[in-house]
Amino acid sequence: MSVIRVLSGRAWVWSFLGMFLVWLVTAVYTGGKGSADVITAALSFATFTVIVGIGQMFVITTGPGNVDLSIPSTIALSGAVAMKLMGSSNDMLAIGLAASLGCGLAVGIFNYLLIRVLRIPPIIATLSSSFLILSTAIAYGRGLKIKPPPMLAEFTTAQVGGVPILAIVIILFAILMSVVLNRTVYGRSVLAIGQNMRAAWLAGINVERIRFMTYVLSALLAAICGFLLSGFSGGASLNMGQEYLLASIAVVVIGGTSVAGGKANVPGIWGAAMFMFLLVTMLNTLGASAGIRLIMTGLIIVAVITIAGGDEPQR
Amino acid sequence: MLNKATMGASILATAMSVGAGVADTSDKRIALSNNYAGNSWRQAMLGSWDKVTSAAVADGVVAEAPAFTTAENQVTEQAAQIQNMILEGYDAIVINAASPDALNGAVKQACDAGIVVVSFDGIVTEPCAYRIAVDFKAMGRLEVDYLATRLNGGNLLEIRGLAGVFVDDEISAGIHEGVAAHSQFKIVGSVHGDWAQDVAQKAVAGILPSLPEVAGVVTQGGDGYGAAQAFAAAGRPTPLIVMGNRYDELQWWKEQKDANGYETISVSIAPGVSTLAFWVAQMVLDGKDVPQDLTVPFLQISQDTLEESLANTQPGGVANVEYSLEDAMAVVAGK
């Protein structure tokens, strides 16, 4: 009994358990063939989901109704701008990264202005800004695919003993963000606002400044994701952010962060991102048709959320 | 027959040979109703439309030919768009449809209002509309037929498109027919790459470790380069990958060809098919006899034409051909 209580107190454990289970099924089915390589592939691709997932987690944690739907278009814009500016040249790397971060900053500020000044609910605000951002990306890039600078391509695809370098960097980054969430004034403020915005305000927290920082953080991380992703996949494309809309929200929720806000968890995002990739791999390996695969993905996500989310009674 | 050099000449020739046609449609207005613009193929499609129609407007063939794209790729949105076009009194509407049957009501209204409706790529089933379809099944069969000329058999990996879309089912059915005809091949894995390089790369990277040696990869276009990257990242020998006319695919193929004589084919639909639809609409308005259902040939690139095609393709774009009125007449005549 006590084991279960300890486990359910740590919601993120479930995402790692799910990850291990789907990996095991795949390994058994293939007779262990290539099971280590699957982990390598999962690490490479989960990295990008984790980057945007962390940003989304902070946004969702600030309370009900807060969500950033502009992540996919920010990824597309940041990738397109950076690749076009750099023009495959190593010398332009710093400028490309700066431009990419500039895009993120601009999107974050714009999103917050829509929410704060025009008082538009975050879901609508970030959804409508995503149209503007994607249109900008289309007008600017016209779907051009320019190769990333060799150094960026090398950095994003390099491996040490089967572990992608980028994954190590992002694991370290996740640890840092975990500290930020639990040990800094900013992180504690985000949690406090998510639990009760009025109480947080009465306690002297500058609520609007914290929300502003959170939306900017999410957009910045989406921009970094776009920059790295274009390096990893050999150039930016207009639709490369598409799958990160649902994925960013799903990994946050499966990872044990409360959709209602006020309760967040960083390690769970890694477990959930790995789980999502391995789940698709397992269903592909088993030869499930696309229809079955989508149904299974939906059902398993619901199941995981139910198990992981049904822990604490509401206070 | 379709290269750019002859474009101007053929438009000129057209203007002279069908002088009567120019007079007949010079006051006509043709609108493009397009459901999606968010990838390089659609961007090229709109670019071709703009290029050919603005020349046609300048030459006085038609009065105007604007393009409209819906924001959300939604059927309801496109149906409303078509209804607006009816109210604005266009003489012809060219449609790349979000759904083969859900727009039929709006299309029927347009036909009843005396408007010529031509659908292409994403075609509509409403009988009153003209359809410019692609024989996607034949494209799938062609891929396996080609592999049969190059390999003695072996394992194939199939990369499919967007699940639930008609085109994906058709190409895949063609591939499976091809495999049934060439029993030396066996499909050992199938993933959905959504016609996008990064999605294909991710899906292939996931399934690859569990697969035996792969001799060939059959694709649907837009996914070949991603597959090549996934094989390279996994340290596996590069199989024979059928390409899909995207710039990155052709460029990768060229690099491999120069480095080690890599040989393959590339096949897809030219985005310039929008200009064929434009000319078909113009011909119908002109009173010409056009069959309700037309088939366009796909654009195939071989080892010999690779350099030329690559040079003519915009970086990030898709190998393309634009149609002249003459080309359109040839397609209508079934040549």
Side-chain angles (χ1 to χ4, degrees):
Chain A
M1 267 313 279
S2 65
V3 177
I4 293 175
R5 204 160 51 233
V6 170
L7 274 186
S8 53
R10 290 173 173 63
W12 56 272
V13 169
W14 294 101
S15 66
F16 283 92
L17 206 65
M19 168 194 121
F20 181 70
L21 270 178
V22 286
W23 176 76
L24 201 67
V25 171
T26 315
V28 167
Y29 185 80
T30 60
K33 188 175 173 313
S35 299
D37 295 340
V38 169
I39 294 285
T40 303
L43 278 171
S44 324
F45 288 97
T47 304
F48 301 103
T49 322
V50 168
I51 298 174
V52 289
I54 290 177
Q56 188 73 275
M57 181 202 76
F58 276 95
V59 173
I60 290 179
T61 304
T62 55
N66 282 300
V67 69
D68 186 353
L69 301 183
S70 66
I71 286 177
S73 53
T74 309
I75 291 176
L77 177 67
S78 146
V81 168
M83 289 306 122
K84 199 168 169 183
L85 268 183
M86 294 192 289
S88 312
S89 155
N90 278 340
D91 308 334
M92 299 287 284
L93 256 180
I95 295 174
L97 180 60
S100 185
L101 291 173
C103 288
L105 191 64
V107 169
I109 293 174
F110 184 69
N111 277 341
Y112 180 73
L113 286 180
L114 288 183
I115 296 166
R116 172 74 175 147
V117 180
L118 300 182
R119 301 197 175 278
I120 305 173
I123 291 181
I124 312 290
T126 53
L127 184 64
S128 42
S129 76
S130 78
F131 284 125
L132 295 175
I133 300 161
L134 192 62
S135 302
T136 313
I138 290 176
Y140 182 80
R142 286 280 151 209
L144 290 192
K145 191 142 200 166
I146 301 165
K147 290 214 161 177
M151 259 165 71
L152 178 62
E154 235 164 74
F155 168 70
T156 47
T157 51
Q159 293 180 7
V160 182
V163 182
I165 303 267
L166 190 60
I168 299 174
V169 174
I170 299 303
I171 288 172
L172 293 176
F173 177 72
I175 294 172
L176 175 74
M177 291 315 277
S178 194
V179 173
V180 167
L181 176 72
N182 295 310
R183 295 273 180 272
T184 67
V185 175
Y186 167 71
R188 307 291 291 185
S189 303
V190 168
L191 290 168
I193 292 172
Q195 279 156 17
N196 189 324
M197 194 188 280
R198 189 170 158 74
W201 179 73
L202 287 173
I205 293 174
N206 189 338
V207 174
E208 288 308 328
R209 203 185 64 189
I210 298 293
R211 284 180 83 194
F212 170 73
M213 286 168 72
T214 305
Y215 277 94
V216 169
L217 175 71
S218 172
L220 278 177
L221 287 175
I224 292 172
C225 177
F227 181 78
L228 295 172
L229 192 59
S230 355
F232 179 77
S233 63
S237 59
L238 289 175
N239 45 6
M240 73 177 178
Q242 240 163 34
E243 59 178 324
Y244 292 94
L245 178 59
L246 277 181
S248 70
I249 299 171
V251 294
V252 169
V253 177
I254 295 176
T257 293
S258 164
V259 216
K263 182 164 159 272
N265 186 296
V266 177
I269 293 179
W270 257 109
M274 296 281 288
F275 168 71
M276 295 279 282
F277 181 87
L278 289 170
L279 177 65
V280 174
T281 298
M282 175 187 86
L283 295 170
N284 267 336
T285 309
L286 299 181
S289 75
I292 305 255
R293 213 163 56 220
L294 290 174
I295 293 171
M296 288 288 288
T297 312
L299 285 180
I300 292 175
I301 289 175
V302 171
V304 170
I305 291 175
T306 314
I307 297 171
D311 48 7
E312 273 173 59
Q314 287 295 313
R315 276 155 298 186
Chain B
M1 65 168 181
L2 296 165
N3 66 38
K4 284 176 189 148
T6 60
M7 264 261 335
S10 57
I11 285 179
L12 203 65
T14 300
M16 290 185 291
S17 63
V18 286
V22 174
D24 284 344
T25 61
S26 58
D27 60 339
K28 301 291 188 191
R29 297 158 66 227
I30 301 177
L32 170 65
S33 164
N34 175 39
N35 66 319
Y36 182 63
N39 62 32
S40 56
W41 196 93
R42 291 296 179 111
Q43 286 294 320
M45 184 199 94
L46 291 169
S48 291
W49 172 273
D50 186 52
K51 192 168 140 196
V52 169
T53 59
S54 52
V57 170
D59 294 345
V61 180
V62 292
E64 61 166 337
F68 301 98
T69 301
T70 55
E72 282 211 73
N73 194 9
Q74 293 292 326
V75 170
T76 45
E77 207 185 352
Q78 196 172 16
Q81 187 194 49
I82 292 170
Q83 276 154 352
N84 280 338
M85 289 172 176
I86 299 172
L87 293 176
E88 287 168 40
Y90 283 98
D91 298 291
I93 301 175
V94 174
I95 301 178
N96 194 344
S99 153
D101 42 26
L103 290 172
N104 283 354
V107 169
K108 187 75 174 48
Q109 284 175 14
C111 292
D112 291 346
I115 297 169
V116 173
V117 179
V118 178
S119 63
F120 71 100
D121 187 39
I123 54 170
V124 295
T125 52
E126 170 56 45
C128 75
Y130 291 81
R131 274 164 292 281
I132 301 175
V134 182
D135 191 350
F136 289 107
K137 250 187 198 160
M139 185 173 137
R141 280 196 304 268
L142 181 141
E143 290 188 29
V144 186
D145 287 344
Y146 171 75
L147 292 182
T149 65
R150 292 284 314 283
L151 304 167
N152 292 325
N155 295 323
L156 302 184
L157 170 63
E158 183 191 10
I159 306 180
R160 299 187 55 162
L162 205 54
V165 179
F166 161 81
V167 174
D168 169 56
D169 293 334
E170 287 291 296
I171 299 181
S172 181
I175 286 171
H176 284 262
E177 277 175 20
V179 170
H182 302 281
S183 54
Q184 66 271 38
F185 291 114
K186 186 179 169 228
I187 295 182
V188 290
S190 172
V191 295
H192 281 268
D194 297 0
W195 301 309
Q197 175 252 342
D198 47 334
V199 180
Q201 183 185 1
K202 189 170 176 175
V204 174
I207 195 173
L208 205 48
S210 67
L211 295 181
E213 190 176 323
V214 175
V217 180
V218 280
T219 63
Q220 297 198 354
D223 39 17
Y225 179 52
Q229 280 181 310
F231 274 90
R236 311 252 299 209
T238 310
L240 180 48
I241 305 173
V242 177
M243 293 299 169
N245 292 4
R246 272 36 167 213
Y247 181 83
D248 52 5
E249 295 178 323
L250 298 179
Q251 197 185 29
W252 178 86
W253 177 9
K254 174 85 172 71
E255 279 165 16
Q256 300 299 309
K257 182 184 170 185
D258 292 345
N260 54 34
Y262 190 83
E263 202 177 316
T264 183
I265 53 162
S266 178
V267 59
S268 187
I269 320 306
V273 64
S274 62
T275 62
L276 173 62
F278 168 75
W279 289 119
V280 166
Q282 191 269 340
M283 285 162 74
V284 175
L285 288 176
D286 197 19
K288 297 231 168 33
D289 195 18
V290 179
Q292 213 81 19
D293 288 275
L294 292 165
T295 306
V296 272
F298 20 76
L299 176 60
Q300 189 177 333
I301 298 169
S302 67
Q303 201 77 356
D304 307 325
T305 55
L306 171 60
E307 279 79 9
E308 191 196 339
S309 301
L310 186 60
N312 288 331
T313 305
Q314 197 190 14
V318 188
N320 196 6
V321 285
E322 274 137 14
Y323 289 77
S324 66
L325 180 52
E326 274 185 338
D327 298 328
M329 284 173 161
V331 172
V332 168
K335 274 178 249 169

Coordinates of all heavy atoms in Angstrom, one line a residue, chain B residues 5 9 29 54 68 76 83-84 93 102 105 122 133 157 177 182 206 209 223 240 246 258 266 290 301 312 335:
Chain B
A5 N 11.4 27.5 -71.8 CA 11.8 28.3 -72.9 C 10.7 28.4 -74.0 O 10.5 29.4 -74.6 CB 13.0 27.6 -73.6
A9 N 6.8 31.3 -76.2 CA 6.5 31.1 -77.6 C 5.2 30.4 -77.8 O 4.4 30.8 -78.7 CB 7.6 30.2 -78.2
R29 N -13.9 36.0 -66.0 CA -13.1 36.1 -64.8 C -13.1 34.7 -64.2 O -14.1 34.0 -64.0 CB -13.8 37.0 -63.8 CG -13.8 38.5 -64.3 CD -14.9 39.3 -63.7 NE -14.6 39.5 -62.3 CZ -15.5 39.3 -61.3 NH1 -16.8 39.0 -61.6 NH2 -15.2 39.5 -60.1
S54 N -1.2 35.7 -64.8 CA -0.9 37.1 -64.9 C -0.5 37.3 -66.4 O -0.8 38.4 -67.0 CB 0.1 37.6 -63.9 OG 1.3 36.8 -63.9
F68 N -7.5 32.4 -54.2 CA -7.9 32.6 -52.8 C -7.6 31.3 -52.1 O -8.0 30.2 -52.5 CB -9.5 32.9 -52.8 CG -9.9 34.1 -53.5 CD1 -10.4 34.0 -54.8 CD2 -9.7 35.4 -52.9 CE1 -10.8 35.2 -55.5 CE2 -10.1 36.5 -53.6 CZ -10.6 36.4 -54.9
T76 N -16.1 23.6 -44.4 CA -17.1 24.6 -44.3 C -16.6 26.0 -44.8 O -17.3 26.7 -45.4 CB -17.5 24.8 -42.8 OG1 -16.4 24.8 -42.0 CG2 -18.4 23.6 -42.4
Q83 N -19.3 29.9 -52.2 CA -20.5 30.7 -52.3 C -20.3 32.1 -52.5 O -21.0 32.8 -53.3 CB -21.4 30.4 -51.0 CG -22.2 29.1 -51.2 CD -22.5 28.5 -49.8 OE1 -22.0 28.9 -48.8 NE2 -23.3 27.4 -49.9
N84 N -19.3 32.7 -51.9 CA -18.9 34.1 -52.1 C -18.5 34.3 -53.6 O -18.9 35.3 -54.2 CB -17.7 34.5 -51.3 CG -18.1 34.8 -49.9 OD1 -19.3 35.1 -49.6 ND2 -17.2 34.7 -48.9
I93 N -14.7 28.7 -61.7 CA -14.0 28.5 -60.5 C -13.2 27.3 -60.6 O -13.7 26.2 -61.0 CB -15.0 28.4 -59.3 CG1 -15.9 29.6 -59.2 CG2 -14.3 28.2 -58.0 CD1 -17.0 29.4 -58.1
A102 N -17.6 16.6 -49.7 CA -18.3 17.6 -48.8 C -18.5 18.9 -49.4 O -19.3 19.7 -48.9 CB -17.5 17.7 -47.5
G105 N -22.3 20.3 -52.5 CA -23.4 21.2 -52.5 C -23.1 22.5 -53.0 O -23.8 23.1 -53.9
G122 N -7.0 17.9 -55.5 CA -8.0 17.5 -54.6 C -9.3 17.7 -55.4 O -9.9 18.8 -55.5
A133 N -7.6 14.6 -62.6 CA -7.1 13.7 -61.6 C -5.8 13.1 -62.0 O -5.4 13.1 -63.2 CB -8.2 12.6 -61.4
L157 N 10.7 -1.1 -47.6 CA 10.1 -0.3 -46.5 C 9.1 0.7 -47.2 O 9.5 1.3 -48.2 CB 11.1 0.5 -45.7 CG 10.6 1.6 -44.8 CD1 9.8 1.0 -43.7 CD2 11.8 2.3 -44.1
E177 N -0.3 -3.5 -55.2 CA -0.5 -4.2 -56.5 C 0.8 -4.6 -57.1 O 1.0 -5.7 -57.6 CB -1.3 -3.4 -57.4 CG -2.8 -3.4 -57.2 CD -3.6 -2.4 -58.1 OE1 -3.0 -2.0 -59.1 OE2 -4.7 -2.0 -57.7
H182 N 5.2 -8.5 -58.5 CA 6.6 -8.9 -58.4 C 6.8 -9.5 -57.0 O 7.2 -8.9 -56.1 CB 7.5 -7.6 -58.5 CG 7.3 -6.9 -59.8 ND1 7.8 -7.3 -61.0 CD2 6.6 -5.7 -60.0 CE1 7.5 -6.4 -61.9 NE2 6.7 -5.5 -61.4
G206 N 12.4 5.4 -36.0 CA 11.8 4.6 -35.0 C 11.7 3.1 -35.4 O 12.0 2.2 -34.6
P209 N 15.5 0.2 -36.4 CA 16.2 -0.8 -35.7 C 15.6 -2.2 -35.7 O 16.3 -3.2 -35.5 CB 16.2 -0.2 -34.3 CG 16.1 1.2 -34.5 CD 15.2 1.4 -35.7
D223 N 9.2 12.6 -48.8 CA 9.7 11.8 -47.6 C 11.0 11.1 -47.9 O 11.6 10.5 -47.0 CB 8.6 10.8 -47.3 CG 8.0 10.2 -48.5 OD1 8.5 10.3 -49.6 OD2 6.9 9.6 -48.4
L240 N 17.9 1.5 -52.1 CA 17.4 2.2 -53.2 C 16.1 2.9 -52.8 O 15.1 2.3 -52.6 CB 17.1 1.2 -54.3 CG 16.6 1.7 -55.7 CD1 17.4 2.8 -56.2 CD2 16.6 0.5 -56.7
R246 N 11.1 16.6 -54.8 CA 11.4 17.8 -54.0 C 12.9 18.1 -54.1 O 13.7 17.3 -54.4 CB 11.2 17.4 -52.5 CG 9.8 17.7 -51.9 CD 8.7 17.4 -52.9 NE 7.4 17.3 -52.2 CZ 6.4 16.5 -52.6 NH1 6.6 15.7 -53.6 NH2 5.3 16.5 -52.0
D258 N 27.1 11.8 -57.7 CA 28.5 12.2 -57.9 C 29.5 11.4 -57.1 O 30.6 11.1 -57.5 CB 28.6 13.7 -57.6 CG 27.8 14.5 -58.6 OD1 27.5 14.0 -59.6 OD2 27.6 15.7 -58.3
S266 N 12.7 9.5 -59.7 CA 11.9 10.4 -58.9 C 10.6 10.6 -59.6 O 10.6 10.9 -60.8 CB 12.7 11.7 -58.7 OG 12.0 12.6 -57.9
V290 N -14.6 19.6 -74.0 CA -13.7 19.1 -73.0 C -14.3 18.0 -72.3 O -15.4 18.1 -71.8 CB -13.2 20.2 -72.0 CG1 -12.2 19.6 -71.0 CG2 -12.6 21.4 -72.7
I301 N 11.5 11.9 -63.1 CA 12.9 12.4 -63.4 C 13.8 11.1 -63.3 O 13.7 10.3 -62.4 CB 13.3 13.4 -62.3 CG1 12.5 14.6 -62.4 CG2 14.8 13.8 -62.5 CD1 12.6 15.6 -61.2
N312 N 16.5 23.5 -62.7 CA 15.3 24.2 -62.9 C 14.4 24.3 -61.7 O 13.3 24.9 -61.8 CB 14.5 23.6 -64.1 CG 15.2 23.9 -65.4 OD1 15.9 24.9 -65.6 ND2 15.0 23.0 -66.3
K335 N -3.5 13.1 -75.7 CA -2.2 12.7 -76.2 C -1.2 12.6 -75.1 O -1.3 13.3 -74.1 CB -1.8 13.8 -77.3 CG -2.3 13.4 -78.7 CD -1.9 14.5 -79.7 CE -3.1 15.3 -80.1 NZ -2.8 16.5 -80.9

